[in-house]
Amino acid sequence: GIGSINNNKMNYHLFKAALIAAVLNGSSTVDASTSKRSLQNTYETINGRSCFRSLDGMIDSMTDLVAKYPDLITMESIGKSYIKKNNPSRSKYDMNYDLPPGYDIYAFNVTNAKSARQSPEKGKMLITSGVHAREWAPPELNARFIETLVEGYNTDADITWIMDHNEVHAILYVNPDGRFISEKYPSSYWRKNLNPEGCGNGVDLNRNLDFKWGDQNGASSDPCANDYHGSKANSEPETQAVVEYAKKLFPEDQRKDDPEGQMKTAFGEDITGVYIDIHASGGYVYYPWGHRDAKSPDNEALEALGRKINYFNGYKLWAGGQPDFMYEAAGDFSDYMYGALGVAS
């Protein structure tokens, strides 16, 4: 049963996610916006948006956080952006913008490294943000959540329990190249990465994953389109970085041999891990399926997770079979994490 949080592993992790959502939405006694470090006054912010740290300001602030709390948070480069990996010629781009210098993609592991429970025994959650460059709020929200956990350890009982028993992994900027363009040229409303193929305005990373990739109902094969899915599944270095990190994080033995061919088979109650991808605008809790308006075989458990989070933020449920399902999104992160890796998403 879904009704009991202790019956099985999936329910345990759904409860854990709901508890984390409560912290994220301000029920914790620690408020990251009033942090002692006065983040928005200390680090570079986006021009005209003093509440949002800039890409460079965020990297600086997270580097300082890691240095201050080395036993509670670590920082790791898990890949390179398109520009940093490929160093393309400026002539490949039909735009009047400066190219970004290229960036590492960083992942953070937030946990009590000195707790009695070791990493293999801990629950795992992965939170991504900054997939779509023009959505400025998600990386800031993700960062404040990290700071709330780190600075609340040994002060807030819920946070201390979470960090003693779990690892919260976060990737603030999945798409740092695009973020550079969006911050420097706000009127561009830049969404995609900086792969210049086709129209020269990038690939939508949230249509590039290798689960239902290329489904024309939920993505476009037109390189000029906002939801262009790329030349092939997982073609982009940013996508590859997140996928490889997730594969190392979540257990291999819960994956299906043929994810798309076995879509109608439930993963069941013993899968572990939680994945959240934060976006801006809309006010929805989004969960599988996203590529079609139909319920997944594990819909009862995933809907329970969605409704637990809805309890704290009041967002509508956007998922197959729900009245507020908006449109199909094929090859997206959420469907991939659930469909290919067996993770509650």
Side-chain angles (χ1 to χ4, degrees), residues 71 160 171 218 226 282:
D71 293 329
T160 302
I171 302 170
N226 268 337

Side-chain angles (χ1 to χ4, degrees), residues 271-283:
I271 66 173
T272 65
V274 176
Y275 171 75
I276 295 177
D277 184 27
I278 307 174
H279 287 260
S281 183

Side-chain angles (χ1 to χ4, degrees), residues 10-11 64 76 107 133 166 181 190 193 206 210 214 226 230 267 272 284 294 298 321 325 334 340:
M10 171 167 270
N11 286 341
D64 287 350
E76 172 189 359
N166 303 280
I181 296 292
W190 199 272
N193 77 346
N206 207 33
D210 192 14
N226 268 337
F267 283 96
T272 65
Y284 293 93
D298 292 289
F325 182 88
S334 182

Side-chain angles (χ1 to χ4, degrees), residues 318-339:
W318 176 346
Q322 289 291 338
D324 291 305
F325 182 88
M326 297 295 290
Y327 54 80
E328 294 88 355
D332 71 301
F333 280 96
S334 182
D335 271 11
Y336 174 84
M337 294 293 177
Y338 165 67

